[in-house]
Amino acid sequence: MAIDSDVLVVGGGLAAITAAAAAAREGADVRLVSHKSSTLRQASGLIDALGYVPATEPAQPLREGPPTAGRELDPDDWPDPEGPLADPFEAIDRLPESHPYRTVGADALGDGLSLFDDLTGEMYRGGHTDSNALIPTFGGSVKPTARYPAAAEAGIASDDRPTLIVGFRSLTDYDARAFAGRLEAAGVPFDVAGAEVEFAEAFRADTKITRLAKALDHDEEIDGVPAREALAKAVAPHLHDVVDEAGGVDRVERVGFPAFLGDQHGEAVREELADRLGADVFEIPMGPPSLPGLRLEDRLYDALDEAGVRFETGNPVVGIETQSDGAIETVSVDRKGRETPYGADAFVLATGGLVGKGLDSDREGVTEPAFGLHVEQPADRYEWFVDDAFGDQPYARFGVRIDEDGRALDAAGAPAYENVFAAGGVVGGADVAREKSASGVSLATGVVAGRRAAKEASQ
């Protein structure tokens, strides 16, 4: 017997969670199945809507060359992208017509962000405005983003208060002085300095960021001193390290740390450090493992649980069964070597793109392995890419096409199945890395797919 629900969502990331939550809010009985753990734990925790509109054509004609040369370009052929954008909604009309935002509409992005705000509550900031905020990131860049963790709020780049960036000698992947230098080079409007301090030396060399967060959560003693006090004492001598343009010394008014200031009790950790240092404290998003991403994942799955959505991880979809009218009746899920049918009135595919393995690629082409949906792509592999690493790479936009209701389309542009919808990275048409739009595309397509799937199930 099949395990039945009104709507079955396949996937475990932001798009899948959004679709499941949206469908549940429409009154549907929803189940979510995913093959792997969510990619949220590898992400920065920032929610990007649209930061840049990249150029899709070179400024100069392509150089002539043999057919096997691909689209060969001079390094300066591509114009600079438009951005960083203050208003992501205003720029949507300047994206390619095939972009998911153009397909589902700007209102879908707004609805997706509103749903995200409801699901995360006070955990995130930015919901008071349609404008992007500029947030410093681990790489030393300043990133335009629509929503950001409350833990990062004091570090917003439009703030001109003198800033100290703290690093730790035992965390060699995080160089605070280099980070501060990159921020200065990016033209931030505040004076900034970086300092490397001793704190994590009390732990093993291979200690994970999560272990440091736990120590601060529980204020464990380090050499007889509570962890939060020990960290503040290590930082305090550097509170006058910032030098202004005139060569004077500024008193630091805010201090940025790598994002490990607690997990369950992060707010209390930041407040105590701020009190001890006499300066606001903020976290800077880091690479994986990402505590902001882990926190977000926990909150979103808690929200699904509260909404009555059932979910399970570690079970891939390995096949489908269709009805006589062409709709999908069940999908086969591999549960520890045993194939189990899952039935639903409507399905949402949100398994991710090439990076998340929601799309497969080999010498024969790019495919969608779960449902066998059509992936639009040039037949000539040399048209998949351009030689300029920073140019408009066609493969970045590969994926399943959808209509305005989020239905997955076939090669002729008709619905592949009347009851199958797609959302997130598996959807084609967006170059999310260049646009800084991955989260926004997941939210916009997820909310549309979830709502329409619930409507399909109710008919």
Side-chain angles (χ1 to χ4, degrees):
M1 296 292 292
I3 299 174
D4 288 324
S5 53
D6 294 336
V7 174
L8 181 69
V9 179
V10 181
L14 182 59
I17 294 169
T18 302
R25 290 191 173 205
E26 296 296 316
D29 173 45
V30 183
R31 184 183 297 272
L32 181 149
V33 296
S34 64
H35 182 195
K36 299 178 180 178
S37 299
S38 167
T39 54
L40 287 169
R41 63 185 57 196
Q42 309 299 330
S44 67
L46 301 177
I47 302 299
D48 307 329
L50 182 64
Y52 296 86
V53 176
T56 56
E57 294 294 337
Q60 304 295 328
L62 300 179
R63 292 200 306 242
E64 293 183 1
T68 56
R71 296 169 60 195
E72 191 174 353
L73 301 173
D74 284 322
D76 297 327
D77 281 349
W78 289 98
D80 292 333
E82 178 187 350
L85 301 172
D87 183 347
F89 293 90
E90 179 271 335
I92 286 176
D93 286 344
R94 296 195 293 282
L95 294 169
E97 289 187 8
S98 60
H99 196 285
Y101 285 162
R102 297 288 299 274
T103 302
V104 299
D107 287 346
L109 174 58
D111 290 347
L113 287 168
S114 294
L115 177 57
F116 179 85
D117 294 338
D118 287 347
L119 297 177
T120 56
E122 292 300 312
M123 185 177 176
Y124 269 73
R125 300 288 187 266
H128 65 289
T129 176
D130 286 341
S131 298
N132 281 325
L134 295 173
I135 301 293
T137 66
F138 173 67
S141 64
V142 178
K143 190 176 186 181
T145 189
R147 301 289 188 270
Y148 48 94
E153 183 175 20
I156 193 167
S158 55
D159 190 333
D160 63 0
R161 292 180 296 168
T163 302
L164 175 68
I165 304 299
V166 175
F168 300 90
R169 295 186 181 122
S170 60
L171 300 180
T172 56
D173 291 339
Y174 184 90
D175 188 328
R177 294 187 181 92
F179 180 95
R182 289 193 293 269
L183 285 179
E184 285 185 328
V188 293
F190 52 86
D191 296 321
V192 58
E196 299 289 319
V197 305
E198 292 187 5
F199 170 72
E201 283 76 6
F203 300 90
R204 287 173 41 183
D206 61 349
T207 295
K208 296 183 182 298
I209 292 296
T210 49
R211 178 66 185 90
L212 301 178
K214 181 180 178 181
L216 290 167
D217 258 345
H218 299 289
D219 209 12
E220 298 176 10
E221 287 197 357
I222 298 176
D223 296 330
V225 180
R228 301 174 194 177
E229 180 183 350
L231 180 54
K233 285 183 175 179
V235 174
H238 300 279
L239 293 178
H240 292 87
D241 281 4
V242 177
V243 178
D244 61 27
E245 293 182 357
V249 176
D250 284 335
R251 176 64 163 80
V252 166
E253 295 183 35
R254 53 184 182 161
V255 182
F257 292 86
F260 66 76
L261 299 183
D263 185 12
Q264 300 299 319
H265 306 291
E267 184 176 0
V269 173
R270 296 194 308 276
E271 287 179 354
E272 182 170 338
L273 288 173
D275 183 62
R276 289 182 176 277
L277 294 172
D280 285 343
V281 167
F282 64 95
E283 289 186 335
I284 301 166
M286 300 174 64
S290 166
L291 264 177
L294 286 165
R295 295 171 191 150
L296 177 58
E297 179 186 59
D298 288 344
R299 176 63 200 124
L300 291 177
Y301 273 98
D302 285 347
L304 287 187
D305 192 37
E306 293 162 8
V309 175
R310 292 159 293 177
F311 48 87
E312 55 190 74
T313 300
N315 303 322
V317 170
V318 294
I320 61 174
E321 292 290 337
T322 59
Q323 300 172 343
S324 58
D325 62 359
I328 290 183
E329 182 175 15
T330 64
V331 299
S332 297
V333 176
D334 185 346
R335 302 180 71 181
K336 297 181 179 180
R338 179 178 179 180
E339 291 190 17
T340 303
Y342 281 62
D345 296 312
F347 300 83
V348 177
L349 180 70
T351 47
L354 287 165
V355 174
K357 302 301 182 182
L359 299 174
D360 279 345
S361 66
D362 57 27
R363 292 183 177 277
E364 302 302 317
V366 179
T367 58
E368 186 284 298
F371 286 24
L373 298 174
H374 172 70
V375 178
E376 190 169 311
Q377 59 198 274
D380 186 347
R381 287 176 61 91
Y382 288 102
E383 295 181 16
W384 289 15
F385 65 93
V386 297
D387 289 343
D388 183 357
F390 299 101
D392 178 33
Q393 300 292 349
Y395 65 79
R397 301 181 185 273
F398 288 178
V400 175
R401 297 297 183 187
I402 58 173
D403 64 14
E404 65 274 11
D405 292 329
R407 278 188 176 83
L409 303 178
D410 62 18
Y417 305 96
E418 286 294 333
N419 63 340
V420 174
F421 304 81
V426 76
V427 175
D431 187 347
V432 296
R434 295 175 73 218
E435 298 164 0
K436 301 295 183 281
S437 65
S439 297
V441 168
S442 290
L443 291 170
T445 56
V447 76
V448 169
R451 288 174 177 175
R452 298 303 298 184
K455 183 176 181 180
E456 178 73 22
S458 68
Q459 293 177 350

